mmCIF file with all atom_site columns, all heavy atoms in Angstrom:
data_model
loop_
_atom_site.group_PDB
_atom_site.id
_atom_site.type_symbol
_atom_site.label_atom_id
_atom_site.label_alt_id
_atom_site.label_comp_id
_atom_site.label_asym_id
_atom_site.label_entity_id
_atom_site.label_seq_id
_atom_site.pdbx_PDB_ins_code
_atom_site.Cartn_x
_atom_site.Cartn_y
_atom_site.Cartn_z
_atom_site.occupancy
_atom_site.B_iso_or_equiv
_atom_site.pdbx_formal_charge
_atom_site.auth_seq_id
_atom_site.auth_comp_id
_atom_site.auth_asym_id
_atom_site.auth_atom_id
_atom_site.pdbx_PDB_model_num
ATOM 1  N N   . VAL N 1 3   ? -26.065 28.773 32.372 1.00 44.00 ? 3   VAL N N   1
ATOM 2  C CA  . VAL N 1 3   ? -26.307 27.894 33.505 1.00 44.00 ? 3   VAL N CA  1
ATOM 3  C C   . VAL N 1 3   ? -25.134 28.062 34.437 1.00 44.00 ? 3   VAL N C   1
ATOM 4  O O   . VAL N 1 3   ? -23.986 28.094 34.011 1.00 44.00 ? 3   VAL N O   1
ATOM 5  C CB  . VAL N 1 3   ? -26.388 26.437 33.007 1.00 44.00 ? 3   VAL N CB  1
ATOM 6  C CG1 . VAL N 1 3   ? -26.658 25.515 34.166 1.00 44.00 ? 3   VAL N CG1 1
ATOM 7  C CG2 . VAL N 1 3   ? -27.456 26.305 31.953 1.00 44.00 ? 3   VAL N CG2 1
ATOM 8  N N   . LYS N 1 19  ? -10.702 26.219 17.019 1.00 41.00 ? 19  LYS N N   1
ATOM 9  C CA  . LYS N 1 19  ? -10.939 25.194 16.022 1.00 41.00 ? 19  LYS N CA  1
ATOM 10 C C   . LYS N 1 19  ? -10.628 25.701 14.618 1.00 41.00 ? 19  LYS N C   1
ATOM 11 O O   . LYS N 1 19  ? -9.987  25.039 13.812 1.00 41.00 ? 19  LYS N O   1
ATOM 12 C CB  . LYS N 1 19  ? -12.396 24.743 16.102 1.00 41.00 ? 19  LYS N CB  1
ATOM 13 C CG  . LYS N 1 19  ? -12.746 23.667 15.107 1.00 41.00 ? 19  LYS N CG  1
ATOM 14 C CD  . LYS N 1 19  ? -14.172 23.755 14.688 1.00 41.00 ? 19  LYS N CD  1
ATOM 15 C CE  . LYS N 1 19  ? -14.279 23.447 13.211 1.00 41.00 ? 19  LYS N CE  1
ATOM 16 N NZ  . LYS N 1 19  ? -15.352 24.152 12.570 1.00 41.00 ? 19  LYS N NZ  1
ATOM 17 N N   . LEU N 1 35  ? -0.661  1.228  26.019 1.00 94.00 ? 35  LEU N N   1
ATOM 18 C CA  . LEU N 1 35  ? -1.820  0.738  26.757 1.00 94.00 ? 35  LEU N CA  1
ATOM 19 C C   . LEU N 1 35  ? -1.997  -0.757 26.505 1.00 94.00 ? 35  LEU N C   1
ATOM 20 O O   . LEU N 1 35  ? -2.084  -1.212 25.366 1.00 94.00 ? 35  LEU N O   1
ATOM 21 C CB  . LEU N 1 35  ? -3.070  1.491  26.296 1.00 94.00 ? 35  LEU N CB  1
ATOM 22 C CG  . LEU N 1 35  ? -4.397  1.024  26.884 1.00 94.00 ? 35  LEU N CG  1
ATOM 23 C CD1 . LEU N 1 35  ? -4.464  1.309  28.363 1.00 94.00 ? 35  LEU N CD1 1
ATOM 24 C CD2 . LEU N 1 35  ? -5.549  1.697  26.157 1.00 94.00 ? 35  LEU N CD2 1
ATOM 25 N N   . LEU N 1 50  ? -1.963  5.882  20.688 1.00 93.00 ? 50  LEU N N   1
ATOM 26 C CA  . LEU N 1 50  ? -2.834  6.615  19.767 1.00 93.00 ? 50  LEU N CA  1
ATOM 27 C C   . LEU N 1 50  ? -2.990  8.033  20.256 1.00 93.00 ? 50  LEU N C   1
ATOM 28 O O   . LEU N 1 50  ? -3.074  8.276  21.458 1.00 93.00 ? 50  LEU N O   1
ATOM 29 C CB  . LEU N 1 50  ? -4.230  5.968  19.723 1.00 93.00 ? 50  LEU N CB  1
ATOM 30 C CG  . LEU N 1 50  ? -4.552  4.916  18.668 1.00 93.00 ? 50  LEU N CG  1
ATOM 31 C CD1 . LEU N 1 50  ? -6.023  4.580  18.738 1.00 93.00 ? 50  LEU N CD1 1
ATOM 32 C CD2 . LEU N 1 50  ? -4.188  5.408  17.284 1.00 93.00 ? 50  LEU N CD2 1
ATOM 33 N N   . GLY N 1 89  ? -0.257  0.821  31.483 1.00 93.00 ? 89  GLY N N   1
ATOM 34 C CA  . GLY N 1 89  ? 0.009   1.917  30.568 1.00 93.00 ? 89  GLY N CA  1
ATOM 35 C C   . GLY N 1 89  ? -0.745  3.157  30.987 1.00 93.00 ? 89  GLY N C   1
ATOM 36 O O   . GLY N 1 89  ? -1.352  3.200  32.056 1.00 93.00 ? 89  GLY N O   1
ATOM 37 N N   . SER N 1 217 ? -22.991 16.637 12.638 1.00 93.00 ? 217 SER N N   1
ATOM 38 C CA  . SER N 1 217 ? -23.278 17.971 13.143 1.00 93.00 ? 217 SER N CA  1
ATOM 39 C C   . SER N 1 217 ? -22.665 18.177 14.527 1.00 93.00 ? 217 SER N C   1
ATOM 40 O O   . SER N 1 217 ? -22.415 19.286 14.943 1.00 93.00 ? 217 SER N O   1
ATOM 41 C CB  . SER N 1 217 ? -24.784 18.211 13.205 1.00 93.00 ? 217 SER N CB  1
ATOM 42 O OG  . SER N 1 217 ? -25.309 17.692 14.398 1.00 93.00 ? 217 SER N OG  1
ATOM 43 N N   . ARG N 1 266 ? -2.266  -5.481 5.479  1.00 92.00 ? 266 ARG N N   1
ATOM 44 C CA  . ARG N 1 266 ? -3.407  -6.043 6.200  1.00 92.00 ? 266 ARG N CA  1
ATOM 45 C C   . ARG N 1 266 ? -4.599  -5.082 6.160  1.00 92.00 ? 266 ARG N C   1
ATOM 46 O O   . ARG N 1 266 ? -5.747  -5.495 6.041  1.00 92.00 ? 266 ARG N O   1
ATOM 47 C CB  . ARG N 1 266 ? -3.026  -6.331 7.664  1.00 92.00 ? 266 ARG N CB  1
ATOM 48 C CG  . ARG N 1 266 ? -2.068  -7.503 7.809  1.00 92.00 ? 266 ARG N CG  1
ATOM 49 C CD  . ARG N 1 266 ? -1.511  -7.595 9.207  1.00 92.00 ? 266 ARG N CD  1
ATOM 50 N NE  . ARG N 1 266 ? -0.653  -6.448 9.526  1.00 92.00 ? 266 ARG N NE  1
ATOM 51 C CZ  . ARG N 1 266 ? -0.091  -6.243 10.705 1.00 92.00 ? 266 ARG N CZ  1
ATOM 52 N NH1 . ARG N 1 266 ? -0.308  -7.086 11.698 1.00 92.00 ? 266 ARG N NH1 1
ATOM 53 N NH2 . ARG N 1 266 ? 0.684   -5.190 10.923 1.00 92.00 ? 266 ARG N NH2 1
#
Side-chain angles (χ1 to χ4, degrees):
Chain N
V3 181
K19 180 210 141 211
L35 175 67
L50 267 187
S217 84
R266 289 169 294 176

